[in-house]
Amino acid sequence: MHPVRILIIDDEPSFVSALARLLSHDGAIVDTAANGSLALTQLQTLCYDVVLCDRRMPTLDGPDFYATLLQQHAYLCQRVIFLPGDTLGVASAAFL
């Protein structure tokens, strides 16, 4: 059995670092991207079992990343978990 490969997409370096360390400690292979655009570039060459994605980011946010994912990598859409920092916001609630 191969280790789980996870992509974390978030623009907060301290959060990404802590989450990546935690998941790596449990045996996962973890890659990171600071926004959806960078993540899409990584998806051109790497395959992921799970994608953990922030909703609000610069350049390409979570909803726009997901819309592009539907077109380019639809198989991965059921493997995306959103980690919104503003769960009380109306836009976050509507999207989720």
Side-chain angles (χ1 to χ4, degrees), residues 19-58:
L19 185 55
R21 274 194 317 269
L22 176 70
L23 294 169
S24 295
H25 184 274
D26 286 340
I29 297 170
V30 180
D31 295 322
T32 65
N35 61 57
S37 181
L38 294 171
L40 289 171
T41 299
Q42 286 177 238
L43 285 169
Q44 292 176 7
T45 57
L46 296 169
C47 294
Y48 293 96
D49 299 302
V50 178
V51 175
L52 303 176
C53 185
D54 189 16
R55 196 186 77 74
R56 292 176 54 185
M57 297 174 288

PDB file of all heavy atoms in Angstrom, residues 19-58:
ATOM      1  N   LEU A  19       0.021  21.991   9.556  1.00  0.00           N
ATOM      2  CA  LEU A  19      -0.818  20.908   9.031  1.00  0.00           C
ATOM      3  C   LEU A  19       0.028  19.898   8.243  1.00  0.00           C
ATOM      4  O   LEU A  19      -0.156  18.692   8.374  1.00  0.00           O
ATOM      5  CB  LEU A  19      -1.936  21.483   8.166  1.00  0.00           C
ATOM      6  CG  LEU A  19      -2.973  20.494   7.640  1.00  0.00           C
ATOM      7  CD1 LEU A  19      -3.614  19.689   8.773  1.00  0.00           C
ATOM      8  CD2 LEU A  19      -4.039  21.234   6.844  1.00  0.00           C
ATOM      9  N   ALA A  20       0.959  20.392   7.452  1.00  0.00           N
ATOM     10  CA  ALA A  20       1.825  19.506   6.676  1.00  0.00           C
ATOM     11  C   ALA A  20       2.673  18.631   7.597  1.00  0.00           C
ATOM     12  O   ALA A  20       2.824  17.429   7.343  1.00  0.00           O
ATOM     13  CB  ALA A  20       2.712  20.318   5.739  1.00  0.00           C
ATOM     14  N   ARG A  21       3.217  19.210   8.666  1.00  0.00           N
ATOM     15  CA  ARG A  21       3.999  18.421   9.628  1.00  0.00           C
ATOM     16  C   ARG A  21       3.143  17.338  10.273  1.00  0.00           C
ATOM     17  O   ARG A  21       3.563  16.189  10.409  1.00  0.00           O
ATOM     18  CB  ARG A  21       4.589  19.320  10.711  1.00  0.00           C
ATOM     19  CG  ARG A  21       5.910  19.931  10.342  1.00  0.00           C
ATOM     20  CD  ARG A  21       6.632  20.531  11.541  1.00  0.00           C
ATOM     21  NE  ARG A  21       5.796  21.283  12.446  1.00  0.00           N
ATOM     22  CZ  ARG A  21       5.563  22.581  12.361  1.00  0.00           C
ATOM     23  NH1 ARG A  21       6.106  23.282  11.398  1.00  0.00           N
ATOM     24  NH2 ARG A  21       4.786  23.188  13.231  1.00  0.00           N
ATOM     25  N   LEU A  22       1.943  17.697  10.671  1.00  0.00           N
ATOM     26  CA  LEU A  22       1.041  16.745  11.307  1.00  0.00           C
ATOM     27  C   LEU A  22       0.716  15.583  10.369  1.00  0.00           C
ATOM     28  O   LEU A  22       0.799  14.414  10.747  1.00  0.00           O
ATOM     29  CB  LEU A  22      -0.249  17.451  11.738  1.00  0.00           C
ATOM     30  CG  LEU A  22      -1.340  16.560  12.328  1.00  0.00           C
ATOM     31  CD1 LEU A  22      -0.913  16.042  13.692  1.00  0.00           C
ATOM     32  CD2 LEU A  22      -2.640  17.333  12.439  1.00  0.00           C
ATOM     33  N   LEU A  23       0.349  15.890   9.142  1.00  0.00           N
ATOM     34  CA  LEU A  23      -0.011  14.853   8.180  1.00  0.00           C
ATOM     35  C   LEU A  23       1.193  14.007   7.773  1.00  0.00           C
ATOM     36  O   LEU A  23       1.083  12.797   7.589  1.00  0.00           O
ATOM     37  CB  LEU A  23      -0.675  15.481   6.959  1.00  0.00           C
ATOM     38  CG  LEU A  23      -2.028  16.147   7.234  1.00  0.00           C
ATOM     39  CD1 LEU A  23      -2.473  16.955   6.028  1.00  0.00           C
ATOM     40  CD2 LEU A  23      -3.072  15.132   7.637  1.00  0.00           C
ATOM     41  N   SER A  24       2.349  14.634   7.647  1.00  0.00           N
ATOM     42  CA  SER A  24       3.570  13.901   7.310  1.00  0.00           C
ATOM     43  C   SER A  24       3.956  12.952   8.430  1.00  0.00           C
ATOM     44  O   SER A  24       4.425  11.842   8.180  1.00  0.00           O
ATOM     45  CB  SER A  24       4.722  14.871   7.049  1.00  0.00           C
ATOM     46  OG  SER A  24       4.470  15.644   5.917  1.00  0.00           O
ATOM     47  N   HIS A  25       3.757  13.398   9.646  1.00  0.00           N
ATOM     48  CA  HIS A  25       4.069  12.563  10.808  1.00  0.00           C
ATOM     49  C   HIS A  25       3.257  11.271  10.779  1.00  0.00           C
ATOM     50  O   HIS A  25       3.709  10.214  11.231  1.00  0.00           O
ATOM     51  CB  HIS A  25       3.792  13.342  12.095  1.00  0.00           C
ATOM     52  CG  HIS A  25       4.175  12.604  13.326  1.00  0.00           C
ATOM     53  ND1 HIS A  25       3.346  11.718  13.961  1.00  0.00           N
ATOM     54  CD2 HIS A  25       5.333  12.614  14.031  1.00  0.00           C
ATOM     55  CE1 HIS A  25       3.952  11.211  15.012  1.00  0.00           C
ATOM     56  NE2 HIS A  25       5.161  11.734  15.085  1.00  0.00           N
ATOM     57  N   ASP A  26       2.067  11.341  10.229  1.00  0.00           N
ATOM     58  CA  ASP A  26       1.201  10.169  10.123  1.00  0.00           C
ATOM     59  C   ASP A  26       1.478   9.348   8.859  1.00  0.00           C
ATOM     60  O   ASP A  26       0.730   8.425   8.532  1.00  0.00           O
ATOM     61  CB  ASP A  26      -0.274  10.587  10.157  1.00  0.00           C
ATOM     62  CG  ASP A  26      -0.723  10.997  11.549  1.00  0.00           C
ATOM     63  OD1 ASP A  26      -0.061  10.614  12.535  1.00  0.00           O
ATOM     64  OD2 ASP A  26      -1.743  11.700  11.653  1.00  0.00           O
ATOM     65  N   GLY A  27       2.515   9.709   8.108  1.00  0.00           N
ATOM     66  CA  GLY A  27       2.934   8.913   6.962  1.00  0.00           C
ATOM     67  C   GLY A  27       2.515   9.419   5.593  1.00  0.00           C
ATOM     68  O   GLY A  27       2.850   8.801   4.586  1.00  0.00           O
ATOM     69  N   ALA A  28       1.794  10.517   5.539  1.00  0.00           N
ATOM     70  CA  ALA A  28       1.353  11.054   4.241  1.00  0.00           C
ATOM     71  C   ALA A  28       2.499  11.791   3.548  1.00  0.00           C
ATOM     72  O   ALA A  28       3.404  12.316   4.198  1.00  0.00           O
ATOM     73  CB  ALA A  28       0.180  12.012   4.432  1.00  0.00           C
ATOM     74  N   ILE A  29       2.432  11.811   2.226  1.00  0.00           N
ATOM     75  CA  ILE A  29       3.306  12.669   1.433  1.00  0.00           C
ATOM     76  C   ILE A  29       2.524  13.950   1.208  1.00  0.00           C
ATOM     77  O   ILE A  29       1.407  13.914   0.675  1.00  0.00           O
ATOM     78  CB  ILE A  29       3.661  12.014   0.089  1.00  0.00           C
ATOM     79  CG1 ILE A  29       4.436  10.717   0.329  1.00  0.00           C
ATOM     80  CG2 ILE A  29       4.448  12.986  -0.784  1.00  0.00           C
ATOM     81  CD1 ILE A  29       4.623   9.891  -0.923  1.00  0.00           C
ATOM     82  N   VAL A  30       3.071  15.074   1.639  1.00  0.00           N
ATOM     83  CA  VAL A  30       2.324  16.334   1.611  1.00  0.00           C
ATOM     84  C   VAL A  30       3.042  17.363   0.747  1.00  0.00           C
ATOM     85  O   VAL A  30       4.229  17.624   0.929  1.00  0.00           O
ATOM     86  CB  VAL A  30       2.149  16.896   3.040  1.00  0.00           C
ATOM     87  CG1 VAL A  30       1.362  18.203   3.005  1.00  0.00           C
ATOM     88  CG2 VAL A  30       1.458  15.878   3.940  1.00  0.00           C
ATOM     89  N   ASP A  31       2.308  17.939  -0.196  1.00  0.00           N
ATOM     90  CA  ASP A  31       2.784  19.057  -0.997  1.00  0.00           C
ATOM     91  C   ASP A  31       1.897  20.254  -0.673  1.00  0.00           C
ATOM     92  O   ASP A  31       0.761  20.083  -0.209  1.00  0.00           O
ATOM     93  CB  ASP A  31       2.697  18.744  -2.489  1.00  0.00           C
ATOM     94  CG  ASP A  31       3.612  17.603  -2.899  1.00  0.00           C
ATOM     95  OD1 ASP A  31       4.734  17.517  -2.375  1.00  0.00           O
ATOM     96  OD2 ASP A  31       3.191  16.785  -3.743  1.00  0.00           O
ATOM     97  N   THR A  32       2.407  21.441  -0.941  1.00  0.00           N
ATOM     98  CA  THR A  32       1.644  22.649  -0.630  1.00  0.00           C
ATOM     99  C   THR A  32       1.651  23.615  -1.810  1.00  0.00           C
ATOM    100  O   THR A  32       2.543  23.570  -2.656  1.00  0.00           O
ATOM    101  CB  THR A  32       2.220  23.367   0.615  1.00  0.00           C
ATOM    102  OG1 THR A  32       3.541  23.831   0.334  1.00  0.00           O
ATOM    103  CG2 THR A  32       2.249  22.439   1.823  1.00  0.00           C
ATOM    104  N   ALA A  33       0.641  24.475  -1.832  1.00  0.00           N
ATOM    105  CA  ALA A  33       0.541  25.553  -2.808  1.00  0.00           C
ATOM    106  C   ALA A  33      -0.112  26.740  -2.111  1.00  0.00           C
ATOM    107  O   ALA A  33      -1.039  26.561  -1.325  1.00  0.00           O
ATOM    108  CB  ALA A  33      -0.279  25.119  -4.013  1.00  0.00           C
ATOM    109  N   ALA A  34       0.359  27.938  -2.403  1.00  0.00           N
ATOM    110  CA  ALA A  34      -0.143  29.140  -1.734  1.00  0.00           C
ATOM    111  C   ALA A  34      -1.448  29.662  -2.318  1.00  0.00           C
ATOM    112  O   ALA A  34      -2.075  30.538  -1.729  1.00  0.00           O
ATOM    113  CB  ALA A  34       0.919  30.238  -1.770  1.00  0.00           C
ATOM    114  N   ASN A  35      -1.863  29.135  -3.474  1.00  0.00           N
ATOM    115  CA  ASN A  35      -3.140  29.549  -4.061  1.00  0.00           C
ATOM    116  C   ASN A  35      -3.572  28.518  -5.104  1.00  0.00           C
ATOM    117  O   ASN A  35      -2.812  27.611  -5.454  1.00  0.00           O
ATOM    118  CB  ASN A  35      -3.048  30.962  -4.665  1.00  0.00           C
ATOM    119  CG  ASN A  35      -2.036  31.053  -5.784  1.00  0.00           C
ATOM    120  OD1 ASN A  35      -2.109  30.330  -6.769  1.00  0.00           O
ATOM    121  ND2 ASN A  35      -1.064  31.950  -5.621  1.00  0.00           N
ATOM    122  N   GLY A  36      -4.764  28.661  -5.601  1.00  0.00           N
ATOM    123  CA  GLY A  36      -5.309  27.708  -6.544  1.00  0.00           C
ATOM    124  C   GLY A  36      -4.561  27.646  -7.856  1.00  0.00           C
ATOM    125  O   GLY A  36      -4.441  26.582  -8.468  1.00  0.00           O
ATOM    126  N   SER A  37      -4.032  28.752  -8.306  1.00  0.00           N
ATOM    127  CA  SER A  37      -3.285  28.782  -9.557  1.00  0.00           C
ATOM    128  C   SER A  37      -2.026  27.929  -9.461  1.00  0.00           C
ATOM    129  O   SER A  37      -1.725  27.137 -10.361  1.00  0.00           O
ATOM    130  CB  SER A  37      -2.930  30.229  -9.905  1.00  0.00           C
ATOM    131  OG  SER A  37      -2.238  30.284 -11.123  1.00  0.00           O
ATOM    132  N   LEU A  38      -1.291  28.077  -8.374  1.00  0.00           N
ATOM    133  CA  LEU A  38      -0.091  27.263  -8.165  1.00  0.00           C
ATOM    134  C   LEU A  38      -0.455  25.788  -8.023  1.00  0.00           C
ATOM    135  O   LEU A  38       0.261  24.907  -8.500  1.00  0.00           O
ATOM    136  CB  LEU A  38       0.672  27.752  -6.932  1.00  0.00           C
ATOM    137  CG  LEU A  38       1.269  29.154  -7.045  1.00  0.00           C
ATOM    138  CD1 LEU A  38       1.805  29.618  -5.699  1.00  0.00           C
ATOM    139  CD2 LEU A  38       2.355  29.189  -8.104  1.00  0.00           C
ATOM    140  N   ALA A  39      -1.580  25.514  -7.381  1.00  0.00           N
ATOM    141  CA  ALA A  39      -2.034  24.134  -7.216  1.00  0.00           C
ATOM    142  C   ALA A  39      -2.349  23.498  -8.571  1.00  0.00           C
ATOM    143  O   ALA A  39      -1.995  22.342  -8.821  1.00  0.00           O
ATOM    144  CB  ALA A  39      -3.264  24.085  -6.317  1.00  0.00           C
ATOM    145  N   LEU A  40      -2.994  24.242  -9.457  1.00  0.00           N
ATOM    146  CA  LEU A  40      -3.307  23.704 -10.784  1.00  0.00           C
ATOM    147  C   LEU A  40      -2.041  23.365 -11.556  1.00  0.00           C
ATOM    148  O   LEU A  40      -1.999  22.374 -12.293  1.00  0.00           O
ATOM    149  CB  LEU A  40      -4.169  24.691 -11.567  1.00  0.00           C
ATOM    150  CG  LEU A  40      -5.602  24.843 -11.062  1.00  0.00           C
ATOM    151  CD1 LEU A  40      -6.305  25.998 -11.761  1.00  0.00           C
ATOM    152  CD2 LEU A  40      -6.380  23.541 -11.231  1.00  0.00           C
ATOM    153  N   THR A  41      -1.001  24.164 -11.370  1.00  0.00           N
ATOM    154  CA  THR A  41       0.279  23.874 -12.006  1.00  0.00           C
ATOM    155  C   THR A  41       0.841  22.551 -11.490  1.00  0.00           C
ATOM    156  O   THR A  41       1.313  21.717 -12.262  1.00  0.00           O
ATOM    157  CB  THR A  41       1.278  25.018 -11.758  1.00  0.00           C
ATOM    158  OG1 THR A  41       0.753  26.228 -12.325  1.00  0.00           O
ATOM    159  CG2 THR A  41       2.635  24.716 -12.366  1.00  0.00           C
ATOM    160  N   GLN A  42       0.750  22.332 -10.187  1.00  0.00           N
ATOM    161  CA  GLN A  42       1.241  21.084  -9.602  1.00  0.00           C
ATOM    162  C   GLN A  42       0.435  19.887 -10.095  1.00  0.00           C
ATOM    163  O   GLN A  42       0.979  18.801 -10.281  1.00  0.00           O
ATOM    164  CB  GLN A  42       1.192  21.162  -8.078  1.00  0.00           C
ATOM    165  CG  GLN A  42       2.286  22.048  -7.512  1.00  0.00           C
ATOM    166  CD  GLN A  42       2.208  22.191  -6.017  1.00  0.00           C
ATOM    167  OE1 GLN A  42       2.096  23.289  -5.527  1.00  0.00           O
ATOM    168  NE2 GLN A  42       2.279  21.094  -5.293  1.00  0.00           N
ATOM    169  N   LEU A  43      -0.856  20.077 -10.304  1.00  0.00           N
ATOM    170  CA  LEU A  43      -1.714  18.986 -10.763  1.00  0.00           C
ATOM    171  C   LEU A  43      -1.392  18.531 -12.191  1.00  0.00           C
ATOM    172  O   LEU A  43      -1.828  17.466 -12.616  1.00  0.00           O
ATOM    173  CB  LEU A  43      -3.186  19.395 -10.672  1.00  0.00           C
ATOM    174  CG  LEU A  43      -3.760  19.401  -9.257  1.00  0.00           C
ATOM    175  CD1 LEU A  43      -5.123  20.070  -9.236  1.00  0.00           C
ATOM    176  CD2 LEU A  43      -3.846  17.992  -8.712  1.00  0.00           C
ATOM    177  N   GLN A  44      -0.628  19.325 -12.905  1.00  0.00           N
ATOM    178  CA  GLN A  44      -0.236  18.932 -14.258  1.00  0.00           C
ATOM    179  C   GLN A  44       0.781  17.799 -14.240  1.00  0.00           C
ATOM    180  O   GLN A  44       0.897  17.050 -15.213  1.00  0.00           O
ATOM    181  CB  GLN A  44       0.322  20.134 -15.019  1.00  0.00           C
ATOM    182  CG  GLN A  44      -0.722  21.183 -15.322  1.00  0.00           C
ATOM    183  CD  GLN A  44      -0.128  22.414 -15.996  1.00  0.00           C
ATOM    184  OE1 GLN A  44       1.039  22.449 -16.360  1.00  0.00           O
ATOM    185  NE2 GLN A  44      -0.949  23.440 -16.153  1.00  0.00           N
ATOM    186  N   THR A  45       1.516  17.666 -13.124  1.00  0.00           N
ATOM    187  CA  THR A  45       2.570  16.650 -13.080  1.00  0.00           C
ATOM    188  C   THR A  45       2.417  15.648 -11.936  1.00  0.00           C
ATOM    189  O   THR A  45       3.079  14.613 -11.948  1.00  0.00           O
ATOM    190  CB  THR A  45       3.954  17.317 -12.965  1.00  0.00           C
ATOM    191  OG1 THR A  45       3.989  18.143 -11.802  1.00  0.00           O
ATOM    192  CG2 THR A  45       4.263  18.141 -14.198  1.00  0.00           C
ATOM    193  N   LEU A  46       1.593  15.955 -10.951  1.00  0.00           N
ATOM    194  CA  LEU A  46       1.452  15.079  -9.789  1.00  0.00           C
ATOM    195  C   LEU A  46      -0.002  14.674  -9.581  1.00  0.00           C
ATOM    196  O   LEU A  46      -0.917  15.444  -9.893  1.00  0.00           O
ATOM    197  CB  LEU A  46       1.960  15.783  -8.522  1.00  0.00           C
ATOM    198  CG  LEU A  46       3.450  16.127  -8.515  1.00  0.00           C
ATOM    199  CD1 LEU A  46       3.774  17.056  -7.357  1.00  0.00           C
ATOM    200  CD2 LEU A  46       4.283  14.860  -8.430  1.00  0.00           C
ATOM    201  N   CYS A  47      -0.210  13.489  -9.037  1.00  0.00           N
ATOM    202  CA  CYS A  47      -1.552  13.004  -8.715  1.00  0.00           C
ATOM    203  C   CYS A  47      -1.722  12.996  -7.196  1.00  0.00           C
ATOM    204  O   CYS A  47      -0.795  12.619  -6.473  1.00  0.00           O
ATOM    205  CB  CYS A  47      -1.758  11.590  -9.249  1.00  0.00           C
ATOM    206  SG  CYS A  47      -1.733  11.515 -11.036  1.00  0.00           S
ATOM    207  N   TYR A  48      -2.900  13.382  -6.749  1.00  0.00           N
ATOM    208  CA  TYR A  48      -3.166  13.464  -5.313  1.00  0.00           C
ATOM    209  C   TYR A  48      -4.354  12.599  -4.937  1.00  0.00           C
ATOM    210  O   TYR A  48      -5.302  12.452  -5.704  1.00  0.00           O
ATOM    211  CB  TYR A  48      -3.415  14.916  -4.906  1.00  0.00           C
ATOM    212  CG  TYR A  48      -2.174  15.754  -5.056  1.00  0.00           C
ATOM    213  CD1 TYR A  48      -1.953  16.513  -6.192  1.00  0.00           C
ATOM    214  CD2 TYR A  48      -1.199  15.746  -4.071  1.00  0.00           C
ATOM    215  CE1 TYR A  48      -0.796  17.251  -6.348  1.00  0.00           C
ATOM    216  CE2 TYR A  48      -0.041  16.480  -4.215  1.00  0.00           C
ATOM    217  CZ  TYR A  48       0.157  17.230  -5.353  1.00  0.00           C
ATOM    218  OH  TYR A  48       1.318  17.944  -5.494  1.00  0.00           O
ATOM    219  N   ASP A  49      -4.280  12.066  -3.729  1.00  0.00           N
ATOM    220  CA  ASP A  49      -5.389  11.296  -3.178  1.00  0.00           C
ATOM    221  C   ASP A  49      -6.406  12.211  -2.515  1.00  0.00           C
ATOM    222  O   ASP A  49      -7.602  11.932  -2.520  1.00  0.00           O
ATOM    223  CB  ASP A  49      -4.872  10.286  -2.149  1.00  0.00           C
ATOM    224  CG  ASP A  49      -3.904   9.303  -2.771  1.00  0.00           C
ATOM    225  OD1 ASP A  49      -4.305   8.618  -3.732  1.00  0.00           O
ATOM    226  OD2 ASP A  49      -2.752   9.223  -2.314  1.00  0.00           O
ATOM    227  N   VAL A  50      -5.918  13.309  -1.944  1.00  0.00           N
ATOM    228  CA  VAL A  50      -6.764  14.264  -1.214  1.00  0.00           C
ATOM    229  C   VAL A  50      -6.228  15.671  -1.443  1.00  0.00           C
ATOM    230  O   VAL A  50      -5.017  15.881  -1.506  1.00  0.00           O
ATOM    231  CB  VAL A  50      -6.760  13.967   0.309  1.00  0.00           C
ATOM    232  CG1 VAL A  50      -7.583  14.983   1.074  1.00  0.00           C
ATOM    233  CG2 VAL A  50      -7.243  12.562   0.589  1.00  0.00           C
ATOM    234  N   VAL A  51      -7.146  16.633  -1.539  1.00  0.00           N
ATOM    235  CA  VAL A  51      -6.780  18.043  -1.627  1.00  0.00           C
ATOM    236  C   VAL A  51      -7.479  18.774  -0.480  1.00  0.00           C
ATOM    237  O   VAL A  51      -8.706  18.693  -0.349  1.00  0.00           O
ATOM    238  CB  VAL A  51      -7.206  18.669  -2.979  1.00  0.00           C
ATOM    239  CG1 VAL A  51      -6.917  20.167  -2.995  1.00  0.00           C
ATOM    240  CG2 VAL A  51      -6.509  17.964  -4.138  1.00  0.00           C
ATOM    241  N   LEU A  52      -6.701  19.462   0.339  1.00  0.00           N
ATOM    242  CA  LEU A  52      -7.242  20.306   1.404  1.00  0.00           C
ATOM    243  C   LEU A  52      -7.085  21.744   0.939  1.00  0.00           C
ATOM    244  O   LEU A  52      -5.970  22.188   0.654  1.00  0.00           O
ATOM    245  CB  LEU A  52      -6.466  20.083   2.712  1.00  0.00           C
ATOM    246  CG  LEU A  52      -6.423  18.648   3.221  1.00  0.00           C
ATOM    247  CD1 LEU A  52      -5.548  18.554   4.461  1.00  0.00           C
ATOM    248  CD2 LEU A  52      -7.819  18.139   3.501  1.00  0.00           C
ATOM    249  N   CYS A  53      -8.189  22.462   0.837  1.00  0.00           N
ATOM    250  CA  CYS A  53      -8.172  23.767   0.175  1.00  0.00           C
ATOM    251  C   CYS A  53      -8.860  24.847   1.005  1.00  0.00           C
ATOM    252  O   CYS A  53      -9.996  24.678   1.443  1.00  0.00           O
ATOM    253  CB  CYS A  53      -8.860  23.635  -1.179  1.00  0.00           C
ATOM    254  SG  CYS A  53      -8.801  25.120  -2.199  1.00  0.00           S
ATOM    255  N   ASP A  54      -8.165  25.962   1.167  1.00  0.00           N
ATOM    256  CA  ASP A  54      -8.758  27.148   1.784  1.00  0.00           C
ATOM    257  C   ASP A  54      -9.759  27.742   0.801  1.00  0.00           C
ATOM    258  O   ASP A  54      -9.667  27.536  -0.411  1.00  0.00           O
ATOM    259  CB  ASP A  54      -7.642  28.159   2.088  1.00  0.00           C
ATOM    260  CG  ASP A  54      -8.118  29.332   2.927  1.00  0.00           C
ATOM    261  OD1 ASP A  54      -9.199  29.249   3.535  1.00  0.00           O
ATOM    262  OD2 ASP A  54      -7.389  30.340   2.981  1.00  0.00           O
ATOM    263  N   ARG A  55     -10.723  28.467   1.300  1.00  0.00           N
ATOM    264  CA  ARG A  55     -11.710  29.085   0.426  1.00  0.00           C
ATOM    265  C   ARG A  55     -11.253  30.448  -0.057  1.00  0.00           C
ATOM    266  O   ARG A  55     -11.433  30.804  -1.214  1.00  0.00           O
ATOM    267  CB  ARG A  55     -13.064  29.213   1.138  1.00  0.00           C
ATOM    268  CG  ARG A  55     -14.202  29.495   0.148  1.00  0.00           C
ATOM    269  CD  ARG A  55     -15.510  29.775   0.807  1.00  0.00           C
ATOM    270  NE  ARG A  55     -15.588  31.112   1.359  1.00  0.00           N
ATOM    271  CZ  ARG A  55     -15.739  32.223   0.642  1.00  0.00           C
ATOM    272  NH1 ARG A  55     -15.813  32.182  -0.651  1.00  0.00           N
ATOM    273  NH2 ARG A  55     -15.808  33.393   1.229  1.00  0.00           N
ATOM    274  N   ARG A  56     -10.647  31.227   0.833  1.00  0.00           N
ATOM    275  CA  ARG A  56     -10.247  32.589   0.477  1.00  0.00           C
ATOM    276  C   ARG A  56      -8.732  32.676   0.343  1.00  0.00           C
ATOM    277  O   ARG A  56      -8.007  32.520   1.320  1.00  0.00           O
ATOM    278  CB  ARG A  56     -10.734  33.564   1.535  1.00  0.00           C
ATOM    279  CG  ARG A  56     -12.248  33.679   1.545  1.00  0.00           C
ATOM    280  CD  ARG A  56     -12.762  34.555   2.630  1.00  0.00           C
ATOM    281  NE  ARG A  56     -12.137  35.866   2.590  1.00  0.00           N
ATOM    282  CZ  ARG A  56     -12.336  36.812   3.481  1.00  0.00           C
ATOM    283  NH1 ARG A  56     -13.134  36.598   4.501  1.00  0.00           N
ATOM    284  NH2 ARG A  56     -11.735  37.975   3.385  1.00  0.00           N
ATOM    285  N   MET A  57      -8.281  32.933  -0.895  1.00  0.00           N
ATOM    286  CA  MET A  57      -6.855  33.073  -1.196  1.00  0.00           C
ATOM    287  C   MET A  57      -6.683  34.082  -2.321  1.00  0.00           C
ATOM    288  O   MET A  57      -7.604  34.294  -3.099  1.00  0.00           O
ATOM    289  CB  MET A  57      -6.273  31.726  -1.665  1.00  0.00           C
ATOM    290  CG  MET A  57      -6.314  30.621  -0.658  1.00  0.00           C
ATOM    291  SD  MET A  57      -5.771  29.067  -1.387  1.00  0.00           S
ATOM    292  CE  MET A  57      -7.157  28.660  -2.457  1.00  0.00           C
ATOM    293  N   PRO A  58      -5.494  34.658  -2.418  1.00  0.00           N
ATOM    294  CA  PRO A  58      -5.238  35.554  -3.548  1.00  0.00           C
ATOM    295  C   PRO A  58      -5.041  34.762  -4.842  1.00  0.00           C
ATOM    296  O   PRO A  58      -4.859  33.547  -4.819  1.00  0.00           O
ATOM    297  CB  PRO A  58      -3.930  36.252  -3.137  1.00  0.00           C
ATOM    298  CG  PRO A  58      -3.253  35.276  -2.239  1.00  0.00           C
ATOM    299  CD  PRO A  58      -4.358  34.567  -1.501  1.00  0.00           C
TER     300      PRO A  58
END
